[in-house]
């Protein structure tokens, strides 16, 4: 179990900065216990470490003024979006100021002819897609939760559409950010490509707020497909389903979504979402394209599935039926919790080369059974990424120890398979101990970048790297 280590607090600096910001922001700075704990929220087993105050800026300039005050007095700054991250990203181990960006939630521009838009970081993915719908456009990255786009950028999010449309790093053209000294920078223009200098955009994307605060994003957009077909297919085993996924990708079928649910997850989805799916290993798929193209893709997958024992293949282009299936997939966290009322859900993810996916998922299921852990599995398996949700009685020390050992074993297994300890959850506090094993000497150079840009370690301290006070 990850211990959320507390870092040395700068009590005098924090008191001074809270006073300065209270005078400047008035009621937009809050110090109540409940709101502070909300902004240290974590859905994992990492303990809550609340900030000392929460401030709600309305502009990039206000974010800059907040950071300048914190930089002057060496006070930690933690960016906050919607709080849906899973590895303790928004905790404040040294106290400090939580900068809640939810009120910076404007769509600033849509350039439909260029298929891009400019947004503030507090805009959520659902809000953006609602705004774009009348223009026949959409933003494809869908991590399930209605996360803020700034938070999605900071954690390099992906989700169900990543197999076709990529992750956040592939869909951000440029960004604006406030750096640790309060300076405002822009990392690029709206051009689709550039060879101008270091790629600072991708340095900031996935930095988890440790290098600066993202205050504006220029995003790639897609045209809403002429036709969307969803399908489901059941398999005799997880291994067979994963083999079908691998063959589908190798065959070049441009599938938009291809999601795995093991039989435990299907049982949970049926009960929670009122479905009647066969309770065995299942793939949910979605195909985008012309009317004929989407149907052809579905038929091609059906033929591939048959080779691996796939049965009960059913496709639909009806919006209501499609939405019901995908809403059930997005509700899997809550559905799984109902399998063991009162248990804590500990979600962890890994990602491996797709050729190792079947082996890794099968080994994961076997390990959970060996440890007698209830651990439903779902996955964005088109890119080798899957999630395990451990349902744990936190009052049972033996069970907690087993779960802790399982998470460590799974991270190590993924790395040994030339994969990663996290495909999309990020490092935060929860996975810091695995980063050195995965990256080796590269971690030293990452730390060098952090120290060069943020020498006083005020930007989201205690995340990604081994905790340090200085």
């Amino acid at each position: 179990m990850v211990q959320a280590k507390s870092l040395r607090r700068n009590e005098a600096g924090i008191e001074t900065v809270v006073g300065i910001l209270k005078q400047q922001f008035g009621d937009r700075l809050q110090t109540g216990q409940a709101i502070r704990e909300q902004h240290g929220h974590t859905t994992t087993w990492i303990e809550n470490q609340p900030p000392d105050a929460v401030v709600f800026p309305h502009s990039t300039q206000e974010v800059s003024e907040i950071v300048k005050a914190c930089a002057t007095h060496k006070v930690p700054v933690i960016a906050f979006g919607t709080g849906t991250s899973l590895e303790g990203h928004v905790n404040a181990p040294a106290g400090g100021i939580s900068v809640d960006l939810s009120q910076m939630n404007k769509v600033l521009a849509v350039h439909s002819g260029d298929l891009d838009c400019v947004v503030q970081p507090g805009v959520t993915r659902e809000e953006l897609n609602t705004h774009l719908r009348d223009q026949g456009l959409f933003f494809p990255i869908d991590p399930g939760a209605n996360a803020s786009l700034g938070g999605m950028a900071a954690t390099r999010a992906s989700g169900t559409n990543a197999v076709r449309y990529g992750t956040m790093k592939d869909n951000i053209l440029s960004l604006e950010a406030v750096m640790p000294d309060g300076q405002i920078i822009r990392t690029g223009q709206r051009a689709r490509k550039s060879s101008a200098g270091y790629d600072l955009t991708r340095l900031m994307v996935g930095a988890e707020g440790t290098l600066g605060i993202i205050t504006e994003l220029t995003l790639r957009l897609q045209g809403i497909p002429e036709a969307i077909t969803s399908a489901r297919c059941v398999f005799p085993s997880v291994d067979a389903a994963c083999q079908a996924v691998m063959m589908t990708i190798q065959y070049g079928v441009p599938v938009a979504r291809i999601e795995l649910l093991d039989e435990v997850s299907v049982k949970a989805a049926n009960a929670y979402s009122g479905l009647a799916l066969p309770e065995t290993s299942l793939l949910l798929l979605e195909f985008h394209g012309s009317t004929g193209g989407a149907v052809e893709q579905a038929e091609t997958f059906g033929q591939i599935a048959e080779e691996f024992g796939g049965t009960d293949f059913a496709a639909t282009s009806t919006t209501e039926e499609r939405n019901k299936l995908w809403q059930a997939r997005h509700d899997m966290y809550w559905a799984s919790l109902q399998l063991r009322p009162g248990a804590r859900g500990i979600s962890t993810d890994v990602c491996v080369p797709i050729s190792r996916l079947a082996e890794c998922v099968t080994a994961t299921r076997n390990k959970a059974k060996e440890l007698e852990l209830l651990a439903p599995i779902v996955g964005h398996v088109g890119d080798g990424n899957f999630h395990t949700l451990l349902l744990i009685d936190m009052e049972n020390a033996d069970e907690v120890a087993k779960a802790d050992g399982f998470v460590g074993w799974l991270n190590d297994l993924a790395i040994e398979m030339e994969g990663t300890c996290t495909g999309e959850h990020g490092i935060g506090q929860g996975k810091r101990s695995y980063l050195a094993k995965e990256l080796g000497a590269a971690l030293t150079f990452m730390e060098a970048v952090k120290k060069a840009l943020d020498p006083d370690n005020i930007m989201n301290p205690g995340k990604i790297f081994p905790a340090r006070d200085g």
Side-chain angles (χ1 to χ4, degrees), residues 233-238 241 260-263 266 279-283:
C233 188
V234 302
F235 290 85
S237 67
V238 163
L260 170 72
L261 283 70
D262 72 354
E263 65 267 26
V266 176
E279 293 182 359
T280 183
S281 299
L282 176 78
L283 290 179

Side-chain angles (χ1 to χ4, degrees), residues 238-295:
V238 163
D239 180 75
C242 291
Q243 294 292 346
V245 170
M246 185 168 63
M247 182 62 69
T248 300
I249 301 302
Q250 291 175 346
Y251 199 76
V253 179
V255 60
R257 298 179 178 182
I258 185 164
E259 297 285 301
L260 170 72
L261 283 70
D262 72 354
E263 65 267 26
V264 182
S265 295
V266 176
K267 179 180 179 180
N270 281 342
Y272 187 82
S273 300
L275 302 179
L277 299 170
E279 293 182 359
T280 183
S281 299
L282 176 78
L283 290 179
L284 297 179
L285 306 99
E286 190 166 274
F287 307 94
H288 295 175
S290 65
T291 301
V295 171

Side-chain angles (χ1 to χ4, degrees), residues 192-404:
R192 282 291 167 134
K193 62 181 182 179
S194 172
S195 296
Y198 292 168
D199 192 345
L200 293 181
T201 303
R202 281 164 183 76
L203 180 63
M204 298 298 293
V205 174
E208 301 181 9
T210 63
L211 300 180
I213 297 179
I214 296 169
T215 54
E216 190 178 290
L217 294 155
T218 301
L219 304 171
R220 292 176 182 264
L221 302 176
Q222 302 288 332
I224 295 175
E226 175 188 334
I228 300 175
T229 296
S230 290
R232 67 110 194 273
C233 188
V234 302
F235 290 85
S237 67
V238 163
D239 180 75
C242 291
Q243 294 292 346
V245 170
M246 185 168 63
M247 182 62 69
T248 300
I249 301 302
Q250 291 175 346
Y251 199 76
V253 179
V255 60
R257 298 179 178 182
I258 185 164
E259 297 285 301
L260 170 72
L261 283 70
D262 72 354
E263 65 267 26
V264 182
S265 295
V266 176
K267 179 180 179 180
N270 281 342
Y272 187 82
S273 300
L275 302 179
L277 299 170
E279 293 182 359
T280 183
S281 299
L282 176 78
L283 290 179
L284 297 179
L285 306 99
E286 190 166 274
F287 307 94
H288 295 175
S290 65
T291 301
V295 171
E296 182 181 354
Q297 292 169 34
E299 290 175 348
T300 300
F301 171 78
Q303 294 167 6
I304 292 171
E306 287 182 6
E307 296 183 30
F308 298 96
T311 58
D312 200 21
F313 176 72
T316 179
S317 57
T318 303
T319 301
E320 183 179 356
E321 292 179 0
R322 287 194 294 105
N323 288 345
K324 188 173 183 179
L325 271 180
W326 290 109
Q327 187 60 51
R329 169 61 185 90
H330 287 328
D331 288 342
M332 277 310 309
Y333 176 83
W334 307 108
S336 295
L337 291 181
Q338 303 307 307
L339 293 172
R340 190 180 182 188
R344 176 76 67 86
I346 308 301
S347 181
T348 190
D349 85 311
V350 295
C351 188
V352 296
I354 197 166
S355 62
R356 305 296 299 274
L357 177 64
E359 180 185 359
C360 192
V361 173
T362 300
T364 300
R365 284 168 47 81
N366 291 340
K367 187 69 171 180
K369 288 179 180 178
E370 174 191 323
L371 295 174
E372 298 181 324
L373 295 172
L374 182 57
I377 291 175
V378 297
H380 316 310
V381 287
D383 49 20
N385 182 205
F386 68 93
H387 307 257
T388 303
L389 184 68
L390 299 165
L391 299 171
I392 303 302
D393 176 2
M394 296 300 293
E395 301 301 317
N396 186 325
D398 181 59
E399 196 170 310
V400 170
K402 285 182 179 180
D404 189 34

